[in-house]
Amino acid sequence: GAVVSQHPSWVICKSGTSVKIECRSLDFQATTMFWYRQFPKQSLMLMATSNEGSKATYEQGVEKDKFLINHASLTLSTLTVTSAHPEDSSFYICSASVTEAFFGQGTRLTVV
Amino acid sequence: AQSVAQPEDQVNVAEGNPLTVKCTYSVSGNPYLFWYVQYPNRGLQFLLKYITGDNLVKGSYGFEAEFNKSQTSFHLKKPSALVSDSALYFCAVRDIAGTYKYIFGTGTRLKVLA
């Protein structure tokens, strides 16, 4: 299957700083990527749809100024958590689709 | 709106026994249904999908799923469970309104006991 690579796998940051998470499609081009957030023992919550060359589409209740998404190329989307706070600590997962969705390995963000 | 439901938070099964993880769906139009598995601190791995065709879909690692239109179900099955199958399983439906947006169920934790 297609490969989606997400980096970093885990990150610890201080409260108030920003963190960038990268999502790359390694062997295919993805005009659309998706960013999810997963709380412990819960399902995936879609945060936003990342569109190459245009603005991301955010789901209701997701702060676009806090979760900045950039999709500058057909193989890379980035999610930047700005001015992170402890409540932003979570597991973030990206996906891109060919015939079905392929997921990155996820990023565990811990804000201290 | 498309949705899927996984009625069981956890399923326990003895190693070697058959397993079933349940999923029901609610969609307008023809459903595009998927099963994914997640191991701790990892992303989701694709197991199988139903788009059209045979109601019994075979997937990775010996898993299969049966699409039942009359019962609006898409249960995941395996004839003989392994301890290594213990993980979190998600059923999903694809939003067919022009995007590849996926809607996930709440997940079912499978525990296979040795």
Side-chain angles (χ1 to χ4, degrees):
Chain A
V3 178
V4 175
S5 177
Q6 191 172 337
H7 178 80
S9 298
W10 58 271
V11 58
I12 301 173
C13 71
K14 291 185 177 180
S15 188
T17 61
S18 295
V19 173
K20 180 184 284 187
I21 303 170
E22 294 187 347
C23 181
R24 294 180 183 273
S25 57
L26 295 187
D27 50 1
F28 65 102
Q29 294 182 331
T31 55
T32 304
M33 292 185 177
F34 299 89
W35 288 96
Y36 296 85
R37 183 174 179 175
Q38 186 179 29
F39 293 99
K41 298 184 179 180
Q42 293 191 29
S43 188
L44 282 75
M45 181 193 79
L46 179 64
M47 299 174 65
T49 303
S50 173
N51 304 299
E52 188 268 336
S54 65
K55 292 183 179 180
T57 305
Y58 290 82
E59 296 298 304
Q60 191 172 6
V62 178
E63 298 177 64
K64 61 179 69 175
D65 293 332
K66 166 165 270 303
F67 299 100
L68 299 179
I69 291 172
N70 184 276
H71 195 152
S73 78
L74 288 170
T75 58
L76 174 64
S77 174
T78 61
L79 168 68
T80 301
V81 183
T82 63
S83 187
H85 288 94
E87 57 265 31
D88 298 325
S89 299
S90 193
F91 194 59
Y92 294 88
I93 309 175
C94 69
S95 79
S97 295
V98 186
T99 51
E100 57 267 356
F102 293 93
F103 289 82
Q105 63 267 50
T107 298
R108 170 77 56 196
L109 170 63
T110 302
V111 185
V112 298
Chain B
Q2 323 284 59
S3 67
V4 289
Q6 294 180 246
E8 303 155 316
D9 289 337
Q10 180 160 323
V11 170
N12 295 329
V13 64
E15 186 175 29
N17 283 2
L19 69 86
T20 299
V21 182
K22 296 179 180 178
C23 173
T24 58
Y25 65 88
S26 175
V27 302
S28 55
N30 294 321
Y32 288 56
L33 296 162
F34 303 81
W35 275 103
Y36 286 85
V37 60
Q38 184 182 33
Y39 295 97
N41 292 310
R42 301 295 301 273
L44 276 66
Q45 296 178 30
F46 170 76
L47 282 178
L48 50 81
K49 66 181 177 182
Y50 173 83
I51 305 296
T52 61
D54 291 340
N55 290 342
L56 185 63
V57 179
K58 293 190 182 297
S60 305
Y61 312 120
F63 283 93
E64 58 189 29
E66 186 170 9
F67 173 70
N68 188 316
K69 190 172 182 178
S70 62
Q71 297 184 4
T72 62
S73 67
F74 190 56
H75 300 332
L76 181 70
K77 300 182 179 185
K78 187 173 183 180
S80 178
L82 300 173
V83 172
S84 57
D85 292 329
S86 299
L88 188 56
Y89 290 81
F90 289 100
C91 180
V93 62
R94 204 184 91 183
D95 179 352
I96 57 175
T99 77
Y100 281 93
K101 185 189 296 187
Y102 281 60
I103 298 163
F104 288 86
T106 49
T108 298
R109 187 163 300 280
L110 173 67
K111 191 169 184 180
V112 181
L113 306 170

